[in-house]
């Protein structure tokens, strides 16, 4: 898919993150494909998903553009979202529309660099690169490395970003003023009102995950609201 076509599809629309790790009840490609289909029926225009297997199943089930990533822990780095060339190659095998990766300034495993990964993706495929960032510094670094878009996925999950209960509206607003690539709002967006506010602040698109696709967490908000004073 051409860059302009993907950006046109997602502009001012909703991307739904359909992910379940191996310890979660809905883990499995078939489960995630059905979840993605439900998201499509609800109006999602693209799906963010974890692992080559899940992404392939979701592409087949929904026909929607996929933002692919692969989470894997490494002992020598805090980065775990598409951290190395190994993960990039695994994802490229299923020809995703976009590859998302941790684009923070933190040290990558194996001494690899963000610039190297971005360059490899662009040279070896037509996939776009979504940079998951936590701060303005991360975003500046990622853009200089050649990414196609930045997403606020990691705000609140790195030591140098603010710990907030809700979305990082301030970061999105600041990014929309200075970034020369589309800004995707992601992270702790749990209501339609919060999503709408992100668009009003200038976000190109929105990613919502847990509030839609993790029923154990959705249920917990009800049980806490009912039983905790």
């Amino acid at each position: 898919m051409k860059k302009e076509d993907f950006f046109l599809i997602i502009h001012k629309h909703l991307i739904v993150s359909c992910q379940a790790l191996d310890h979660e009840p809905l883990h499995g490609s078939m489960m995630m494909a059905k979840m993605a289909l439900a998201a499509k029926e609800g109006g999602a225009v693209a799906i963010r998903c974890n692992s080559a297997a899940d992404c392939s199943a979701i592409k087949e089930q929904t026909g929607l553009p996929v933002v692919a990533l692969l989470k894997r822990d490494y002992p020598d780095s805090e980065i775990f979202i598409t951290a190395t060339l190994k993960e990039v190659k695994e994802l490229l095998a299923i020809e995703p529309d976009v590859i998302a990766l941790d684009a923070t300034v933190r040290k990558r495993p194996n001494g690899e660099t963000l610039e190297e990964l971005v360059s490899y993706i662009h040279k070896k495929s037509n996939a776009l690169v979504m940079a998951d960032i936590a701060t303005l510094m991360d975003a500046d670094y990622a853009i200089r490395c050649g990414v196609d878009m930045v997403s606020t996925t990691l705000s609140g999950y790195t030591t140098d970003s603010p710990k907030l209960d809700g979305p990082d509206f301030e970061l999105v607003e600041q990014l929309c003023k200075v970034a020369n690539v589309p800004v995707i709002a992601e992270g702790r967006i749990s209501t339609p009102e919060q999503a709408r506010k992100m668009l009003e602040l200038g976000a190109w698109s929105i990613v919502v995950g847990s509030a839609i696709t993790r029923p154990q967490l959705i249920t917990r908000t009800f049980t806490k609201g009912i039983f905790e004073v």
Side-chain angles (χ1 to χ4, degrees):
M1 180 179 293
K2 294 181 180 179
K3 179 189 294 190
E4 54 268 28
D5 292 337
F6 177 77
F7 285 142
L8 183 62
I9 287 170
I10 68 167
H11 191 222
K12 301 300 181 183
H13 283 289
L14 176 66
I15 300 168
V16 170
S17 180
C18 294
Q19 299 182 47
L21 299 178
D22 55 10
H23 65 276
E24 295 182 280
L26 297 186
H27 177 70
S29 298
M30 183 179 297
M31 288 284 198
M32 286 298 99
K34 293 298 185 183
M35 182 69 79
L37 181 60
K40 177 182 180 180
E41 291 185 3
V45 298
I47 303 294
R48 180 175 161 114
C49 44
N50 174 38
S51 85
D54 282 13
C55 293
S56 181
I58 287 169
K59 283 181 62 176
E60 182 177 354
Q61 183 79 67
T62 68
L64 292 178
V66 296
V67 179
L69 58 101
L70 207 167
K71 293 179 177 177
R72 184 172 287 150
D73 291 318
Y74 283 87
D76 62 337
S77 175
E78 295 178 303
I79 289 179
F80 68 98
I81 297 176
T82 319
T84 75
L85 186 59
K86 175 180 172 64
E87 287 76 40
V88 167
K89 289 181 176 179
E90 289 179 41
L91 294 175
L92 286 179
I94 57 101
E95 300 183 347
D97 302 278
V98 181
I99 289 182
L101 40 71
D102 183 316
T104 62
V105 297
R106 297 179 294 181
K107 174 179 171 287
R108 304 192 85 82
N110 307 329
E112 297 183 27
T113 69
L114 176 64
E115 187 173 13
E116 290 169 346
L117 298 187
V118 174
S119 177
Y120 185 91
I121 293 167
H122 284 156
K123 287 179 179 178
K124 298 294 185 178
S125 75
N126 293 319
L128 306 180
V129 179
M130 178 182 288
D132 290 349
I133 58 92
T135 67
L136 288 173
M137 182 184 297
D138 292 337
D140 177 68
Y141 167 62
I143 292 168
R144 284 190 283 109
C145 287
V147 303
D148 300 292
M149 67 201 91
V150 295
S151 177
T152 56
T153 315
L154 294 171
S155 174
Y157 302 103
T158 63
T159 57
D160 58 348
S161 59
K163 304 302 180 283
L164 304 171
D165 292 330
D168 194 341
F169 294 112
E170 182 178 356
L171 178 59
V172 170
E173 184 174 23
Q174 291 175 331
L175 279 173
C176 290
K177 291 177 180 178
V178 300
N180 61 358
V181 298
V183 174
I184 313 300
E186 181 176 7
R188 299 179 303 280
I189 299 173
S190 57
T191 69
E193 291 75 21
Q194 291 173 340
R196 190 180 304 115
K197 183 175 179 179
M198 287 298 193
L199 294 179
E200 292 169 352
L201 291 174
W204 188 269
S205 183
I206 305 145
V207 176
V208 178
S210 296
I212 295 174
T213 60
R214 279 198 163 109
Q216 71 273 28
L217 300 183
I218 300 168
T219 304
R220 193 172 300 151
T221 63
F222 280 89
T223 55
K224 287 178 67 175
I226 293 168
F227 299 112
E228 293 187 7
V229 178

